Amino acid sequence: MALLETTHRDFANVSKIIGRHGKGQQELVPILQEVQAEYRYLPEEILSHISTAMGIPPATVYGVATFYAQFSLEPKGKYVIRVCDGTACHVRHSMPIYEAIRKKTGLRGKRITSADGLFTVETVACVGACGLAPVITINDEVYAQMTPEAAEMIIDALMNREVNPVETH
Amino acid sequence: MAMEPVVTIDGISVRIEGERNLLELVRKAGIDLPTFCYHSELSVYGACRMCVVEVDRMGVVSSCTVPPQPGMVVRTNTEKLMEIRRTILELLLARHDRECTTCTKNGGCRLQSLAQRLGVRDIRFGGGDAKRPLDRSTAGIVRDPNKCILCGDCVRVCGEVQGIGILDFAFRGANAAVMPAFNRELREVDCVQCGQCVSVCPTAALTIKDDTSRVWKALGNPKMKVIAQVAPAVRVALGEEFGHAPGWADTGKVVAALKRLGFDMVLDTAFTADLTVVEETAEFVGRLVSGDRSRLPQFTSCCPAWVKYVEQRHPEFLPNLSTCRSPQQMFGSLVRNTPVLGEAEDGTDVFVVSIMPCTAKKSEAAREEFSRDGRPDVDVVLTTHELAMMIRQVGIDFDQLPSEPFDLPLGMATGAGMIFGNTGGVAEAVLRAAASLLAPADAEGHRHEAARLAFEEVRGMDGVREASVELGGVTIRLAVAHSLGAASAVLEAIAEGKAEYDLVEVMSCPGGCIGGAGQPVPSHIEVRKKRAKALYGIDKMQMLRRAHDNPFVTALYDRLLGEAGSEKAHELLHTHHVHAGKAGSACN
Ligand code: SF4
Ligand code: SF4
Ligand code: FES
């Protein structure tokens, strides 16, 4: 997947991020956040690079990266879909929406990212839009008052866009 | 009027005398409060909460995190506290693999013994975690994540004492676990196999790889001549496995036990330690008088965890390492490849077993460069602890064993070889030998040995000890470091030009090999001090205390090796150190 490959150029980017923050151990979380924003996940080689560059043992960097739910060590899809499962959404049947999306994107078992690298599907505790429940977010854009059918339609639209790309920007 | 520095513990007044926390004070009062995550030599973690006490006006606190204050009223044994401790144990046990009868730690596990002591009879919580795979990837250590109770002792010893940080917590909540980076196997990370994490693990999450069955098999093979070499540190610790107080030398009993187990010959690694001293001193004095400082300071090379550390982390210092093999490997090489045990021996029928205080020695013996045609020079390395297991397995009563002598010639050693087990011991042994080499010669060319034998300045338990010793008009600047954290400080000082030395001794374990991970536990500072004293005691009793005075060492040079540093000596007793990244390519 060319999309998710890392190269030496990437290390240069990471070094820049570290350069901006400095090497104190307290900078590790902000650095990981920026790196994740850039790559959509935390690749192993990059975590190792951060460890060497900051002089923090790799086991510690790995420990921090796995402690926080916001970090992902798996490549994320181009579209990250989060289904809210906070109390408000849950009582308004968010789980059938989640199941429908997983089915639509072909996810089984423990997999959260589709084989084509397009979709990552997760649940999230509460996005703070309870009045619009049930909601999902796709790359941080909120879709309100969802139903399984509506969610499937949105995914269809995204899949189509990938097959017949339209210039959007 | 200032308040008396006294705390009331279960109704008894206990004086505060520098204790850093209530736990220490409670223990001083003769109450053995249970703990998992407290080690006096590590930072305070305060996570397991086994050490809870009730303090008036404070309520229930973990005693390891609270400094004692005059006037405190403390209770350690209320029903509430007992219930808290039992519940913690139940919670730990709920997620724990409870196959105690087949566990390597059975009888030596703190979780098991506390469950017994506190009377846990029922586990109210469900477990049901899927079994995680064991890591058996290294020669010295087995990691079983199913037995981990997350006390973090290993994390702190590897990070704080060794300065390496191979292990750390990962994930969180119910998935939290201690593991190397990316959940890799220990073989795939920079673990040096020192085993200090094993020493502090209260359960069987980290254990010594058990190699006893391979030894039993060899002992049962009538065609094998099974030979033991015993490291110096073993003789001052084995007795602890049988309930003896630390600090006694049981050399004769160790030999007798091995004979009863069926070993054909029992020999002394201190003999090849003497040989190491002769070779290493010649190498050192050679580097010193050459005027070329590129390979100075010379670093000792007898600790394989240290050698691995330099290979992996500081390849720039590889030229500084002495090229001498460790005493264990010199022994293996001599026995396998030369007729030292009698002309008729065929090296391949000899099965060489080392008894070592050390897990890293298992990895050392498995290194490619110490094998010939696929057969390692040392077949099996057993730790002190495994030897004790074998003795117990056959029911030998250690206390009733007589004292028996080592076999000759490789069972004869001087005091210099004996102190190899102590931090500072190698440096001192080299100084004794260098004193003779550097002594001024008279008109006929005879060197008069310096009378000096004891070099107190390199002894002791400070992490790094520096000394400047004058021998025959030459000043030798030394640094002695134990634990890799201390060693890394020395390397840093050298690299930054803040310190200049001629000789640097490093042993990876606190206290040196007497504090190795193969030794009985507990192995804390007080125990280590006693073992060290016992080794110095043996040294003092020896008629011969300089390595080169060992008549069998001299004979070995006369008959086989020529002189120290000869080509033959290099072939048999030295090695090359290569950058870890290139390991395997430079050695044949
Ligand atoms: S054996 Fe030593 S280096 Fe390896 S994990 Fe344990 S303490 Fe760390
Ligand atoms: S100090 Fe001794 S016991 Fe510890 S790793 Fe080194 S050789 Fe082994
Ligand atoms: S020993 Fe005090 S909390 Fe673990």
Side-chain angles (χ1 to χ4, degrees):
Chain A
M1 254 181 287
L3 182 72
L4 303 170
E5 261 170 26
T6 54
T7 65
H8 289 295
R9 191 174 46 83
D10 294 312
F11 285 150
N13 269 346
V14 175
S15 302
K16 250 185 251 157
I17 295 175
I18 297 171
R20 268 204 305 280
H21 285 270
K23 295 184 178 177
Q25 184 136 6
Q26 73 283 357
E27 295 299 325
L28 185 55
V29 170
I31 287 172
L32 292 178
Q33 276 171 326
E34 273 197 46
V35 170
Q36 161 128 335
E38 183 132 336
Y39 302 96
R40 297 208 301 267
Y41 81 114
L42 298 172
E44 197 170 308
E45 319 78 87
I46 291 195
L47 288 179
S48 301
H49 177 79
I50 292 175
S51 144
T52 316
M54 299 183 69
I56 300 172
T60 306
V61 175
Y62 179 72
V64 171
T66 54
F67 184 82
Y68 296 102
Q70 57 169 305
F71 294 132
S72 168
L73 275 76
E74 301 291 321
K76 291 254 169 139
K78 185 168 178 187
Y79 302 101
V80 178
I81 306 176
R82 296 206 169 89
V83 181
C84 182
D85 196 29
T87 315
C89 290
H90 188 85
V91 299
R92 286 170 183 256
H93 311 294
S94 53
M95 277 302 102
I97 301 171
Y98 174 71
E99 291 307 333
I101 297 174
R102 279 183 60 85
K103 199 166 163 213
K104 182 82 194 164
T105 51
L107 293 175
R108 282 208 193 87
K110 287 189 165 178
R111 287 202 66 120
I112 60 161
T113 299
S114 60
D116 57 9
L118 274 183
F119 298 101
T120 294
V121 184
E122 301 170 337
T123 58
V124 54
C126 179
V127 299
C130 306
L132 307 174
V135 302
I136 68 171
T137 64
I138 300 179
N139 291 355
D140 297 330
E141 201 172 311
V142 180
Y143 294 77
Q145 296 177 334
M146 277 290 115
T147 62
E149 296 73 25
E152 279 170 19
M153 276 167 60
I154 295 171
I155 289 165
D156 267 332
L158 293 176
M159 283 173 167
N160 271 330
R161 192 198 292 179
E162 289 305 313
V163 184
N164 314 302
V166 264
E167 282 306 321
T168 51
H169 40 250
Chain B
M1 198 181 83
M3 203 186 265
E4 283 272 302
V6 163
V7 172
T8 308
I9 297 174
D10 298 334
I12 296 162
S13 297
V14 185
R15 182 165 286 271
I16 307 171
E17 289 157 320
E19 287 78 11
R20 293 166 300 174
N21 50 59
L22 274 181
L23 174 62
E24 285 181 359
L25 202 67
V26 169
R27 287 189 168 166
K28 187 174 78 174
I31 296 158
D32 182 21
L33 265 195
T35 55
F36 284 120
C37 73
Y38 182 76
H39 282 271
S40 55
E41 295 162 62
L42 299 175
S43 65
V44 173
Y45 184 47
C48 75
R49 296 193 57 82
M50 283 302 287
C51 65
V52 282
V53 295
E54 281 187 74
V55 181
D56 273 10
R57 288 194 301 275
M58 284 177 83
V60 176
V61 297
S62 45
S63 61
C64 71
T65 59
V66 176
Q69 300 289 341
M72 272 181 167
V73 178
V74 178
R75 269 158 307 152
T76 71
N77 54 11
T78 63
E79 202 191 338
K80 183 168 166 191
L81 293 170
M82 306 280 274
E83 189 50 36
I84 292 174
R85 291 187 200 124
R86 260 196 295 271
T87 307
I88 294 167
L89 281 172
E90 276 185 63
L91 286 166
L92 289 173
L93 284 163
R95 287 197 62 200
H96 194 86
D97 174 342
R98 295 199 294 275
E99 298 285 338
C100 285
T101 49
T102 51
C103 179
T104 37
K105 219 43 187 289
N106 187 4
C109 167
R110 200 133 31 104
L111 181 59
Q112 186 189 42
S113 70
L114 285 180
Q116 166 68 353
R117 233 176 84 183
L118 273 64
V120 175
R121 292 287 169 267
D122 180 27
I123 289 151
R124 290 167 292 174
F125 314 103
D129 284 358
K131 200 159 156 83
R132 306 184 206 200
L134 271 64
D135 177 355
R136 296 178 169 279
S137 64
T138 60
I141 294 168
V142 178
R143 195 171 76 81
D144 181 352
N146 307 292
K147 303 269 171 78
C148 178
I149 58 167
L150 304 177
C151 66
D153 293 347
C154 57
V155 173
R156 282 171 296 136
V157 86
C158 191
E160 294 173 13
V161 176
Q162 300 300 46
I164 303 184
I166 293 300
L167 299 163
D168 211 329
F169 289 93
F171 302 98
R172 70 159 149 190
N175 296 320
V178 167
M179 57 178 71
F182 311 109
N183 201 13
R184 291 213 182 105
E185 292 191 321
L186 282 172
R187 171 184 53 187
E188 304 166 315
V189 292
D190 281 356
C191 166
V192 298
Q193 295 279 292
C194 67
Q196 286 302 310
C197 52
V198 173
S199 268
V200 296
C201 179
T203 70
L206 287 157
T207 50
I208 300 168
K209 170 91 69 73
D210 177 358
D211 287 310
T212 53
S213 62
R214 287 166 61 212
V215 176
W216 284 123
K217 204 162 164 208
L219 288 169
N221 180 347
K223 290 202 207 84
M224 278 290 177
K225 179 165 176 157
V226 187
I227 289 174
Q229 56 162 322
V230 183
V234 175
R235 65 204 68 184
V236 294
L238 183 65
E240 293 167 32
E241 288 271 358
F242 302 96
H244 297 189
W248 297 95
D250 286 311
T251 317
K253 282 183 190 289
V254 176
V255 177
L258 287 162
K259 286 277 167 77
R260 275 158 189 66
L261 289 172
F263 283 84
D264 295 297
M265 283 183 111
V266 181
L267 303 167
D268 198 343
T269 313
F271 170 85
T272 36
D274 277 345
L275 195 57
T276 306
V277 175
V278 174
E279 286 293 322
E280 196 165 327
T281 309
E283 188 183 18
F284 171 59
V285 171
R287 289 184 191 185
L288 195 66
V289 299
S290 75
D292 170 14
R293 287 204 61 87
S294 66
R295 302 185 72 192
L296 289 173
Q298 176 168 306
F299 295 164
T300 57
S301 59
C302 43
C303 169
W306 159 240
V307 169
K308 196 161 185 274
Y309 179 78
V310 177
E311 287 171 334
Q312 289 169 345
R313 299 257 166 135
H314 292 285
E316 71 278 14
F317 281 115
L318 282 173
N320 298 71
L321 279 175
S322 157
T323 61
C324 287
R325 296 184 191 192
S326 70
Q328 153 167 292
Q329 293 308 141
M330 283 196 183
F331 183 101
S333 174
L334 282 178
V335 169
R336 183 77 76 218
N337 305 311
T338 77
V340 345
L341 296 184
E343 299 304 320
E345 298 298 341
D346 170 358
T348 54
D349 288 348
V350 176
F351 194 86
V352 182
V353 179
S354 307
I355 318 294
M356 294 283 142
C358 179
T359 46
K361 289 281 166 192
K362 289 180 185 258
S363 291
E364 178 183 50
R367 288 178 71 122
E368 210 180 313
E369 64 267 33
F370 300 138
S371 282
R372 203 165 279 194
D373 305 325
R375 176 82 187 268
D377 289 347
V378 173
D379 290 290
V380 178
V381 177
L382 293 181
T383 56
T384 313
H385 177 68
E386 287 163 280
L387 174 58
M389 275 168 54
M390 290 181 76
I391 294 171
R392 278 193 290 265
Q393 275 168 21
V394 291
I396 293 170
D397 182 347
F398 190 75
D399 286 332
Q400 286 189 29
L401 283 170
S403 187
E404 289 179 17
F406 282 112
D407 292 303
L408 292 175
L410 271 58
M412 156 89 202
T414 71
M418 300 293 175
I419 57 176
F420 254 58
N422 285 347
T423 172
V426 177
E428 181 164 347
V430 168
L431 285 174
R432 289 180 193 174
S436 306
L437 278 184
L438 294 168
D442 63 15
E444 281 108 57
H446 293 299
R447 294 190 187 277
H448 293 286
E449 306 231 326
R452 209 162 158 211
L453 276 170
F455 291 86
E456 295 285 347
E457 52 270 63
V458 294
R459 298 186 181 185
M461 288 289 170
D462 291 340
V464 178
R465 302 182 295 286
E466 294 177 298
S468 202
V469 176
E470 201 176 295
L471 300 174
V474 182
T475 305
I476 298 174
R477 294 156 303 169
L478 301 100
V480 173
H482 57 138
S483 89
L484 291 169
S488 109
V490 171
L491 291 184
E492 201 170 301
I494 295 171
E496 290 176 356
K498 289 191 186 138
E500 205 176 349
Y501 306 111
D502 303 304
L503 185 67
V504 174
E505 178 207 285
V506 175
M507 299 193 191
S508 300
C509 295
C513 303
I514 47 119
Q519 297 283 64
V521 285
S523 195
H524 53 72
I525 177 92
E526 294 313 319
V527 173
R528 297 197 299 266
K529 278 186 188 157
K530 291 189 179 132
R531 292 177 189 156
K533 198 166 161 219
L535 268 191
Y536 286 128
I538 300 181
D539 168 40
K540 225 171 171 176
M541 306 262 293
Q542 301 298 307
M543 301 264 287
L544 302 173
R545 296 175 66 192
R546 293 183 185 95
H548 52 283
D549 290 341
N550 185 331
F552 292 105
V553 168
T554 319
L556 194 63
Y557 279 104
D558 287 346
R559 295 207 202 121
L560 185 76
L561 299 169
E563 53 177 14
S566 70
E567 201 176 308
K568 190 83 187 155
H570 265 273
E571 179 196 324
L572 288 166
L573 309 177
H574 289 250
T575 183
H576 314 277
H577 299 292
V578 295
H579 188 324
K582 298 185 221 127
S585 59
C587 296
N588 48 17

